[in-house]
Structure formats: structure tokens, C-alpha cells
Coordinates of all heavy atoms in Angstrom, one line a residue:
D1 N 74.0 -5.9 107.3 CA 73.8 -7.3 107.4 C 74.6 -8.1 106.3 O 74.9 -9.3 106.6 CB 72.3 -7.6 107.1 CG 71.4 -7.3 108.3 OD1 72.0 -7.2 109.5 OD2 70.2 -7.1 108.1
Q2 N 75.0 -7.5 105.3 CA 75.8 -8.2 104.2 C 77.3 -8.3 104.5 O 78.0 -9.0 103.9 CB 75.6 -7.6 102.9 CG 74.1 -7.6 102.4 CD 73.5 -9.0 102.4 OE1 74.1 -9.8 101.8 NE2 72.3 -9.1 102.9
M3 N 77.7 -7.6 105.5 CA 79.1 -7.5 105.9 C 80.1 -7.2 104.8 O 81.1 -7.8 104.7 CB 79.5 -8.9 106.6 CG 78.7 -9.1 107.9 SD 79.2 -10.5 108.9 CE 79.3 -11.9 107.7
E4 N 79.7 -6.3 104.0 CA 80.5 -5.8 102.8 C 81.4 -4.6 103.3 O 80.9 -3.5 103.3 CB 79.7 -5.5 101.6 CG 78.9 -6.6 101.1 CD 79.8 -7.7 100.5 OE1 80.9 -7.4 100.1 OE2 79.4 -8.8 100.4
V5 N 82.6 -4.9 103.6 CA 83.5 -3.9 104.1 C 83.7 -2.7 103.2 O 83.6 -1.5 103.6 CB 84.9 -4.5 104.4 CG1 85.9 -3.5 104.9 CG2 84.8 -5.6 105.4
E6 N 83.8 -3.0 101.9 CA 84.0 -1.9 100.9 C 82.7 -1.0 100.8 O 82.9 0.2 100.6 CB 84.4 -2.5 99.5 CG 85.8 -2.9 99.5 CD 86.8 -1.9 99.9 OE1 86.8 -0.8 99.5 OE2 87.7 -2.3 100.8
N7 N 81.6 -1.6 100.9 CA 80.4 -0.8 100.9 C 80.3 0.1 102.1 O 79.9 1.3 102.0 CB 79.1 -1.7 100.9 CG 78.9 -2.4 99.6 OD1 79.5 -2.0 98.6 ND2 78.0 -3.4 99.5
V8 N 80.7 -0.4 103.3 CA 80.7 0.5 104.5 C 81.7 1.6 104.3 O 81.5 2.8 104.6 CB 81.0 -0.3 105.7 CG1 81.2 0.5 107.0 CG2 79.9 -1.4 106.0
R9 N 82.9 1.3 103.8 CA 84.0 2.2 103.5 C 83.5 3.3 102.6 O 83.6 4.5 102.8 CB 85.2 1.5 103.0 CG 86.4 2.5 102.8 CD 87.6 1.7 102.4 NE 88.2 1.1 103.6 CZ 88.4 -0.2 103.7 NH1 88.1 -1.0 102.7 NH2 88.9 -0.8 104.8
R10 N 82.8 2.9 101.5 CA 82.3 3.9 100.5 C 81.2 4.8 101.1 O 81.2 6.0 100.9 CB 81.7 3.2 99.3 CG 82.8 2.7 98.3 CD 82.1 2.2 97.0 NE 83.0 1.2 96.5 CZ 82.7 -0.1 96.4 NH1 81.6 -0.6 96.9 NH2 83.6 -0.9 95.9
L11 N 80.3 4.2 101.8 CA 79.2 5.0 102.4 C 79.8 6.0 103.4 O 79.3 7.2 103.4 CB 78.2 4.1 103.1 CG 77.3 3.2 102.2 CD1 76.6 2.2 103.0 CD2 76.3 4.1 101.5
L12 N 80.7 5.6 104.2 CA 81.3 6.6 105.1 C 82.1 7.7 104.4 O 82.0 8.8 104.8 CB 82.2 5.8 106.1 CG 81.5 4.9 107.1 CD1 82.5 4.1 107.9 CD2 80.6 5.7 108.1
A13 N 82.8 7.3 103.3 CA 83.5 8.3 102.5 C 82.6 9.3 101.9 O 82.9 10.5 101.7 CB 84.4 7.6 101.5
W14 N 81.4 8.8 101.5 CA 80.4 9.7 100.9 C 79.6 10.5 101.9 O 78.6 11.2 101.6 CB 79.4 8.9 100.0 CG 80.1 8.3 98.8 CD1 81.2 8.8 98.2 CD2 79.6 7.2 98.1 NE1 81.4 8.0 97.1 CE2 80.5 7.0 97.0 CE3 78.6 6.3 98.3 CZ2 80.4 6.0 96.1 CZ3 78.4 5.3 97.3 CH2 79.3 5.1 96.3
G15 N 79.9 10.4 103.2 CA 79.3 11.2 104.2 C 78.1 10.5 105.0 O 77.3 11.2 105.7
A16 N 78.0 9.2 104.9 CA 76.9 8.5 105.6 C 77.0 8.7 107.1 O 78.2 8.7 107.6 CB 76.9 7.1 105.2
D17 N 76.0 8.9 107.8 CA 76.0 9.1 109.2 C 76.1 7.8 109.9 O 75.2 6.9 109.9 CB 74.7 9.8 109.6 CG 74.6 10.1 111.1 OD1 75.5 9.7 111.9 OD2 73.6 10.7 111.5
P18 N 77.3 7.5 110.6 CA 77.5 6.2 111.3 C 76.6 6.0 112.5 O 76.6 5.0 113.1 CB 79.0 6.2 111.6 CG 79.3 7.7 111.8 CD 78.4 8.4 110.8
N19 N 75.8 7.1 112.9 CA 74.9 7.0 114.0 C 73.5 7.0 113.7 O 72.6 7.1 114.5 CB 75.3 8.1 115.0 CG 76.6 7.9 115.6 OD1 77.0 6.9 116.2 ND2 77.5 8.9 115.4
L20 N 73.2 6.9 112.4 CA 71.8 6.9 111.9 C 71.3 5.5 112.3 O 71.7 4.5 111.9 CB 71.7 7.0 110.5 CG 70.3 7.1 109.9 CD1 69.5 8.3 110.4 CD2 70.3 7.2 108.4
A21 N 70.3 5.5 113.3 CA 69.9 4.2 113.9 C 68.6 3.6 113.2 O 67.7 4.4 112.8 CB 69.6 4.4 115.4
D22 N 68.6 2.3 113.1 CA 67.4 1.6 112.6 C 66.6 1.3 113.9 O 67.2 0.9 114.9 CB 67.9 0.3 112.0 CG 66.7 -0.6 111.5 OD1 66.2 -1.3 112.4 OD2 66.4 -0.5 110.4
P23 N 65.3 1.5 113.8 CA 64.5 1.3 115.0 C 64.6 -0.1 115.6 O 64.5 -0.3 116.8 CB 63.0 1.5 114.5 CG 63.2 2.2 113.2 CD 64.5 1.9 112.7
E24 N 64.9 -1.1 114.8 CA 65.0 -2.5 115.3 C 66.4 -2.9 115.6 O 66.7 -3.7 116.5 CB 64.4 -3.5 114.3 CG 62.9 -3.3 114.1 CD 62.4 -4.2 113.0 OE1 63.0 -5.3 112.7 OE2 61.3 -4.0 112.5
E25 N 67.4 -2.4 114.8 CA 68.8 -2.9 115.0 C 69.7 -1.9 115.7 O 70.8 -2.2 116.1 CB 69.4 -3.1 113.6 CG 68.6 -4.1 112.8 CD 68.7 -5.5 113.3 OE1 69.5 -5.8 114.2 OE2 67.8 -6.4 112.9
G26 N 69.2 -0.7 115.9 CA 70.1 0.4 116.5 C 71.1 1.0 115.6 O 70.8 0.9 114.3
T27 N 72.2 1.5 116.0 CA 73.1 2.1 115.2 C 73.9 1.0 114.4 O 73.9 -0.2 114.8 CB 74.2 2.9 116.0 OG1 74.9 2.0 116.8 CG2 73.5 4.0 116.8
P28 N 74.5 1.3 113.3 CA 75.3 0.3 112.6 C 76.4 -0.3 113.4 O 76.6 -1.5 113.4 CB 76.0 1.1 111.4 CG 75.0 2.2 111.2 CD 74.5 2.6 112.5
L29 N 77.0 0.5 114.3 CA 78.1 -0.1 115.2 C 77.5 -1.1 116.2 O 78.0 -2.1 116.4 CB 78.8 1.0 115.9 CG 80.0 0.6 116.8 CD1 81.0 -0.3 116.1 CD2 80.6 1.8 117.4
A30 N 76.3 -0.7 116.8 CA 75.7 -1.6 117.7 C 75.3 -2.9 117.1 O 75.4 -4.0 117.6 CB 74.5 -0.9 118.4
H31 N 74.7 -2.8 115.8 CA 74.3 -4.0 115.1 C 75.5 -4.8 114.7 O 75.5 -6.1 114.9 CB 73.6 -3.5 113.8 CG 73.1 -4.7 113.0 ND1 72.2 -5.6 113.4 CD2 73.4 -5.0 111.7 CE1 71.9 -6.5 112.5 NE2 72.7 -6.2 111.4
A32 N 76.6 -4.2 114.3 CA 77.8 -5.0 114.0 C 78.4 -5.7 115.2 O 78.8 -6.9 115.2 CB 78.9 -4.2 113.3
R33 N 78.4 -5.0 116.3 CA 78.9 -5.6 117.6 C 78.0 -6.8 118.0 O 78.5 -7.8 118.5 CB 79.0 -4.6 118.7 CG 80.2 -3.7 118.5 CD 80.2 -2.7 119.6 NE 81.4 -1.8 119.5 CZ 81.5 -0.7 120.1 NH1 80.5 -0.2 120.8 NH2 82.6 0.1 119.9
K34 N 76.7 -6.6 117.8 CA 75.7 -7.7 118.2 C 75.9 -8.9 117.3 O 76.0 -10.0 117.8 CB 74.3 -7.2 118.1 CG 73.3 -8.3 118.5 CD 71.9 -7.7 118.4 CE 70.8 -8.7 118.9 NZ 70.9 -10.0 118.5
M35 N 76.1 -8.7 116.0 CA 76.4 -9.8 115.1 C 77.7 -10.5 115.5 O 77.7 -11.7 115.5 CB 76.5 -9.3 113.6 CG 75.2 -8.9 113.0 SD 75.4 -8.2 111.3 CE 76.0 -9.7 110.5
Y36 N 78.7 -9.7 115.8 CA 80.0 -10.3 116.2 C 79.8 -11.2 117.4 O 80.3 -12.4 117.4 CB 80.9 -9.2 116.5 CG 82.4 -9.6 116.7 CD1 83.2 -9.7 115.6 CD2 82.9 -9.8 118.0 CE1 84.5 -10.0 115.8 CE2 84.2 -10.1 118.1 CZ 85.0 -10.3 117.1 OH 86.4 -10.6 117.2
K37 N 79.1 -10.8 118.4 CA 78.8 -11.6 119.6 C 77.9 -12.8 119.3 O 78.2 -13.9 119.7 CB 78.2 -10.7 120.7 CG 78.0 -11.4 122.0 CD 77.4 -10.5 123.0 CE 77.1 -11.3 124.3 NZ 76.3 -10.5 125.2
D38 N 76.9 -12.6 118.6 CA 75.9 -13.6 118.2 C 76.6 -14.7 117.4 O 76.2 -15.9 117.5 CB 74.7 -13.1 117.5 CG 73.8 -12.3 118.3 OD1 74.0 -12.2 119.6 OD2 72.9 -11.6 117.7
M39 N 77.6 -14.4 116.6 CA 78.3 -15.4 115.8 C 79.4 -16.1 116.6 O 80.0 -17.0 116.1 CB 78.9 -14.7 114.5 CG 77.8 -14.3 113.6 SD 78.4 -13.5 112.1 CE 78.9 -14.9 111.2
G40 N 79.5 -15.8 117.9 CA 80.4 -16.4 118.8 C 81.8 -15.9 118.7 O 82.7 -16.6 119.2
F41 N 82.1 -14.7 118.2 CA 83.4 -14.2 118.1 C 83.8 -13.4 119.4 O 85.0 -13.3 119.7 CB 83.5 -13.3 116.9 CG 83.2 -13.9 115.6 CD1 82.4 -13.3 114.6 CD2 83.7 -15.2 115.3 CE1 82.2 -13.9 113.4 CE2 83.4 -15.8 114.0 CZ 82.6 -15.2 113.1
G42 N 82.8 -12.8 120.0 CA 83.1 -12.0 121.2 C 83.1 -12.8 122.4 O 82.7 -14.0 122.5
P43 N 83.6 -12.2 123.5 CA 83.6 -12.9 124.8 C 82.2 -13.1 125.3 O 81.3 -12.4 125.1 CB 84.4 -11.9 125.7 CG 84.2 -10.6 125.1 CD 84.1 -10.8 123.6
R44 N 82.1 -14.2 126.0 CA 80.7 -14.6 126.6 C 80.9 -14.6 128.1 O 82.0 -14.9 128.6 CB 80.4 -16.0 126.1 CG 80.1 -16.0 124.6 CD 79.4 -17.2 124.2 NE 78.6 -17.7 125.2 CZ 78.3 -19.0 125.4 NH1 78.6 -19.8 124.6 NH2 77.6 -19.4 126.4
K45 N 79.9 -14.3 128.7 CA 79.9 -14.2 130.2 C 80.1 -15.7 130.8 O 80.8 -15.9 131.7 CB 78.6 -13.6 130.8 CG 78.5 -12.1 130.5 CD 77.3 -11.5 131.0 CE 77.2 -10.1 130.6 NZ 75.9 -9.5 131.0
K46 N 79.4 -16.6 130.2 CA 79.4 -18.0 130.7 C 80.1 -18.9 129.7 O 79.6 -19.0 128.5 CB 77.9 -18.5 130.9 CG 77.9 -19.7 131.6 CD 76.4 -20.1 131.9 CE 76.3 -21.5 132.6 NZ 74.9 -21.9 132.8
K47 N 81.1 -19.5 130.1 CA 81.9 -20.4 129.2 C 81.6 -21.8 129.4 O 81.1 -22.3 130.4 CB 83.4 -20.2 129.5 CG 84.0 -18.8 129.3 CD 84.2 -18.5 127.8 CE 84.8 -17.2 127.7 NZ 84.9 -16.8 126.3
G48 N 81.8 -22.6 128.3 CA 81.6 -24.0 128.3 C 80.1 -24.4 128.1 O 79.3 -23.6 127.8
G49 N 79.9 -25.7 128.0 CA 78.5 -26.2 127.8 C 78.1 -26.3 126.4 O 79.0 -26.2 125.4
F50 N 76.9 -26.5 126.2 CA 76.3 -26.8 124.9 C 76.5 -25.7 123.8 O 76.9 -26.0 122.7 CB 74.8 -27.0 125.1 CG 74.1 -27.3 123.8 CD1 74.2 -28.5 123.1 CD2 73.3 -26.3 123.2 CE1 73.6 -28.8 121.9 CE2 72.6 -26.6 122.0 CZ 72.8 -27.8 121.4
V51 N 76.4 -24.4 124.2 CA 76.5 -23.4 123.2 C 78.0 -23.3 122.7 O 78.2 -23.2 121.5 CB 76.1 -22.0 123.8 CG1 76.4 -20.9 122.9 CG2 74.7 -22.0 124.2
D52 N 78.9 -23.4 123.5 CA 80.3 -23.4 123.1 C 80.6 -24.6 122.2 O 81.3 -24.5 121.2 CB 81.3 -23.4 124.3 CG 81.4 -22.0 124.9 OD1 81.0 -21.0 124.2 OD2 81.8 -21.9 126.1
D53 N 80.1 -25.8 122.6 CA 80.3 -27.0 121.8 C 79.7 -26.8 120.4 O 80.3 -27.2 119.4 CB 79.7 -28.2 122.5 CG 80.5 -28.6 123.7 OD1 81.6 -28.2 123.9 OD2 79.9 -29.4 124.5
L54 N 78.5 -26.3 120.4 CA 77.8 -26.0 119.1 C 78.6 -25.0 118.2 O 78.7 -25.2 117.0 CB 76.4 -25.5 119.4 CG 75.5 -25.4 118.2 CD1 75.2 -26.7 117.5 CD2 74.1 -24.8 118.7
M55 N 79.1 -24.0 118.8 CA 79.9 -23.0 118.1 C 81.2 -23.6 117.5 O 81.6 -23.3 116.4 CB 80.2 -21.8 118.9 CG 79.0 -20.9 119.3 SD 78.1 -20.4 117.8 CE 79.3 -19.4 117.0
E56 N 81.8 -24.5 118.2 CA 83.0 -25.1 117.7 C 82.6 -26.0 116.6 O 83.4 -26.1 115.6 CB 83.7 -25.9 118.8 CG 84.4 -25.1 119.9 CD 85.4 -24.2 119.3 OE1 86.3 -24.7 118.4 OE2 85.5 -23.0 119.6
L57 N 81.5 -26.7 116.6 CA 81.1 -27.5 115.5 C 80.8 -26.6 114.3 O 81.2 -27.0 113.1 CB 79.8 -28.3 115.8 CG 80.0 -29.5 116.7 CD1 78.7 -30.1 117.2 CD2 80.9 -30.6 116.0
A58 N 80.2 -25.5 114.5 CA 79.9 -24.6 113.4 C 81.1 -24.1 112.8 O 81.3 -24.0 111.5 CB 79.0 -23.5 113.9
K59 N 82.1 -23.7 113.6 CA 83.4 -23.2 113.1 C 84.1 -24.2 112.2 O 84.6 -24.0 111.2 CB 84.3 -22.7 114.2 CG 83.8 -21.5 114.9 CD 84.7 -21.2 116.1 CE 84.2 -20.0 116.9 NZ 85.0 -19.7 118.1
G60 N 84.1 -25.5 112.7 CA 84.7 -26.6 112.0 C 84.0 -26.8 110.7 O 84.7 -27.0 109.6
A61 N 82.7 -26.8 110.6 CA 82.0 -27.1 109.4 C 82.1 -26.0 108.4 O 82.2 -26.2 107.2 CB 80.5 -27.3 109.7
A62 N 82.2 -24.7 108.9 CA 82.3 -23.6 108.0 C 83.7 -23.3 107.4 O 83.9 -22.7 106.4 CB 81.8 -22.3 108.7
G63 N 84.7 -23.8 108.2 CA 86.1 -23.7 107.7 C 86.5 -22.2 107.6 O 86.2 -21.4 108.5
G64 N 87.1 -21.9 106.5 CA 87.6 -20.5 106.3 C 86.6 -19.5 106.3 O 86.8 -18.3 106.5
A65 N 85.3 -19.9 105.9 CA 84.2 -18.9 105.8 C 84.0 -18.2 107.2 O 83.7 -17.0 107.3 CB 83.0 -19.5 105.3
F66 N 84.2 -19.0 108.2 CA 83.9 -18.4 109.6 C 85.0 -17.4 109.9 O 84.7 -16.3 110.4 CB 83.9 -19.6 110.6 CG 83.0 -19.4 111.7 CD1 81.6 -19.5 111.6 CD2 83.5 -19.2 113.0 CE1 80.8 -19.4 112.6 CE2 82.6 -19.0 114.1 CZ 81.2 -19.1 113.9
A67 N 86.3 -17.7 109.6 CA 87.3 -16.8 109.9 C 87.2 -15.5 109.0 O 87.5 -14.4 109.4 CB 88.7 -17.4 109.6
E68 N 86.7 -15.7 107.8 CA 86.5 -14.6 106.9 C 85.4 -13.7 107.4 O 85.5 -12.4 107.4 CB 86.1 -15.0 105.5 CG 85.9 -13.9 104.5 CD 85.5 -14.3 103.1 OE1 85.8 -15.5 102.7 OE2 84.8 -13.5 102.4
A69 N 84.3 -14.2 107.9 CA 83.2 -13.5 108.5 C 83.7 -12.7 109.7 O 83.3 -11.5 109.8 CB 82.0 -14.4 108.8
K70 N 84.5 -13.3 110.5 CA 85.0 -12.6 111.7 C 85.9 -11.4 111.3 O 85.8 -10.3 111.8 CB 85.9 -13.6 112.5 CG 86.4 -13.0 113.8 CD 87.2 -14.0 114.6 CE 87.5 -13.5 116.0 NZ 88.9 -13.1 116.1
A71 N 86.8 -11.6 110.3 CA 87.7 -10.6 109.8 C 86.9 -9.4 109.2 O 87.2 -8.2 109.4 CB 88.7 -11.1 108.8
R72 N 85.8 -9.7 108.5 CA 85.0 -8.7 107.8 C 84.3 -7.9 108.9 O 84.2 -6.6 108.8 CB 84.0 -9.3 106.9 CG 84.7 -9.9 105.6 CD 83.8 -10.8 104.8 NE 82.9 -10.0 104.1 CZ 82.0 -10.6 103.3 NH1 82.0 -11.9 103.1 NH2 81.2 -9.9 102.6
L73 N 83.7 -8.5 109.9 CA 83.0 -7.8 111.0 C 84.0 -6.9 111.8 O 83.6 -5.8 112.1 CB 82.3 -8.8 111.9 CG 80.9 -9.2 111.5 CD1 80.4 -10.3 112.4 CD2 80.0 -8.0 111.6
E74 N 85.2 -7.4 112.0 CA 86.2 -6.6 112.7 C 86.5 -5.4 111.9 O 86.7 -4.3 112.5 CB 87.4 -7.5 113.1 CG 87.1 -8.5 114.2 CD 88.3 -9.5 114.4 OE1 89.2 -9.6 113.5 OE2 88.2 -10.2 115.4
A75 N 86.7 -5.6 110.6 CA 87.0 -4.4 109.8 C 85.9 -3.4 109.8 O 86.1 -2.2 109.9 CB 87.3 -4.9 108.4
I76 N 84.6 -3.9 109.7 CA 83.5 -3.0 109.7 C 83.4 -2.2 111.1 O 83.2 -1.0 111.1 CB 82.2 -3.7 109.4 CG1 82.2 -4.1 107.9 CG2 80.9 -2.9 109.8 CD1 81.1 -5.1 107.6
I77 N 83.6 -3.0 112.2 CA 83.5 -2.3 113.5 C 84.6 -1.3 113.6 O 84.3 -0.2 114.1 CB 83.7 -3.4 114.6 CG1 82.4 -4.3 114.6 CG2 84.0 -2.8 116.0 CD1 82.5 -5.5 115.5
E78 N 85.8 -1.6 113.1 CA 86.9 -0.6 113.2 C 86.5 0.7 112.3 O 86.8 1.8 112.8 CB 88.2 -1.2 112.7 CG 89.4 -0.3 112.7 CD 90.7 -0.9 112.3 OE1 90.7 -2.1 112.1 OE2 91.6 -0.1 112.0
L79 N 86.0 0.5 111.2 CA 85.6 1.6 110.3 C 84.6 2.5 111.0 O 84.7 3.7 111.0 CB 85.1 1.1 109.0 CG 86.1 0.6 108.0 CD1 85.4 -0.1 106.8 CD2 86.9 1.8 107.4
L80 N 83.6 1.9 111.6 CA 82.5 2.6 112.2 C 83.0 3.3 113.5 O 82.6 4.4 113.7 CB 81.3 1.7 112.5 CG 80.6 1.1 111.3 CD1 79.6 0.0 111.7 CD2 79.8 2.2 110.6
E81 N 83.9 2.7 114.2 CA 84.4 3.4 115.4 C 85.3 4.6 115.0 O 85.1 5.7 115.6 CB 85.3 2.4 116.2 CG 84.5 1.3 116.9 CD 85.4 0.3 117.6 OE1 86.6 0.1 117.2 OE2 84.8 -0.4 118.5
K82 N 86.1 4.4 113.9 CA 86.9 5.5 113.5 C 86.1 6.7 113.0 O 86.5 7.9 113.0 CB 87.9 5.1 112.4 CG 89.0 4.3 113.0 CD 90.0 3.9 111.9 CE 91.2 3.1 112.5 NZ 92.1 2.7 111.4
A83 N 84.9 6.4 112.4 CA 84.0 7.4 111.9 C 83.2 8.0 113.0 O 82.3 8.9 112.7 CB 83.1 6.8 110.8
G84 N 83.3 7.6 114.2 CA 82.6 8.2 115.3 C 81.3 7.5 115.6 O 80.4 8.1 116.4
G85 N 81.1 6.3 115.2 CA 79.9 5.6 115.5 C 79.8 5.3 116.9 O 80.8 5.1 117.6
K86 N 78.6 5.3 117.4 CA 78.2 5.0 118.8 C 77.5 3.7 118.8 O 76.8 3.3 117.9 CB 77.4 6.1 119.4 CG 78.0 7.5 119.2 CD 78.1 8.2 120.4 CE 78.6 9.6 120.3 NZ 79.9 9.8 119.8
G87 N 77.6 3.0 120.0 CA 76.8 1.8 120.1 C 77.6 0.8 120.9 O 77.7 -0.2 121.0

């Protein structure tokens, strides 16, 4: 949830199981992918309308923080995929 890339990297290097699932969130990879989509970074089935307008406003208000969050999640997803994470 904290999106700390270095923490994920260290945990995996120390042998953390990338498929150890949380009962509510699922595997770390599934959780990261859900966060990515929920934050509006991933593709959506239905384009346009209120949700897209709201996300554009949020991106504008957050500025560079939004781009940083996207980059961090992408790095975490890549690390988990390379470690054999499922989700």
C-alpha cells in the first residue's frame, strides 16, 4: 500500500514469497494491478464521462505526484512479475 519500490525489492531479495496472498487484497501483484487501475492509470472498458473528467482534474491537481505514483506502481508490478508473482 505504501508503494515503496525499494522495500519491495529488498523483500524479494530476502526471499519473500510474491504469491503470499492477503485474504482481502489477494496477491501483492493482484493488489498492485488493482491500485494501478483504481488510480486511473490502466485501461478502462468504458471511456469518457464523469469518471474520466474527474481523473483528469485529479491528475492536474496532483501534478508530478501523480506521475511519480504511476512510475512507482509500474516498477513494483515489474518486480513482482519478474519474481514470479501471480495475479
Side-chain angles (χ1 to χ4, degrees):
D1 284 338
Q2 300 302 314
M3 297 189 308
E4 295 294 336
V5 179
E6 287 307 311
N7 288 347
V8 173
R9 186 174 282 120
R10 279 188 211 111
L11 287 167
L12 291 171
W14 291 336
D17 182 355
N19 293 304
L20 185 62
D22 178 276
E24 294 178 21
E25 303 293 344
T27 65
L29 182 57
H31 181 62
R33 285 179 175 162
K34 182 179 183 317
M35 286 179 64
Y36 191 85
K37 183 179 176 188
D38 288 350
M39 292 179 78
F41 303 135
R44 295 191 28 205
K45 291 180 184 175
K46 187 176 179 182
K47 298 282 184 186
F50 178 74
V51 174
D52 285 337
D53 291 344
L54 188 61
M55 289 307 297
E56 286 304 312
L57 284 172
K59 287 177 188 176
F66 215 69
E68 182 183 335
K70 182 177 190 257
R72 289 165 76 178
L73 271 171
E74 287 172 345
I76 289 169
I77 289 168
E78 183 179 346
L79 285 169
L80 292 168
E81 287 175 340
K82 285 182 179 179
K86 307 233 184 300

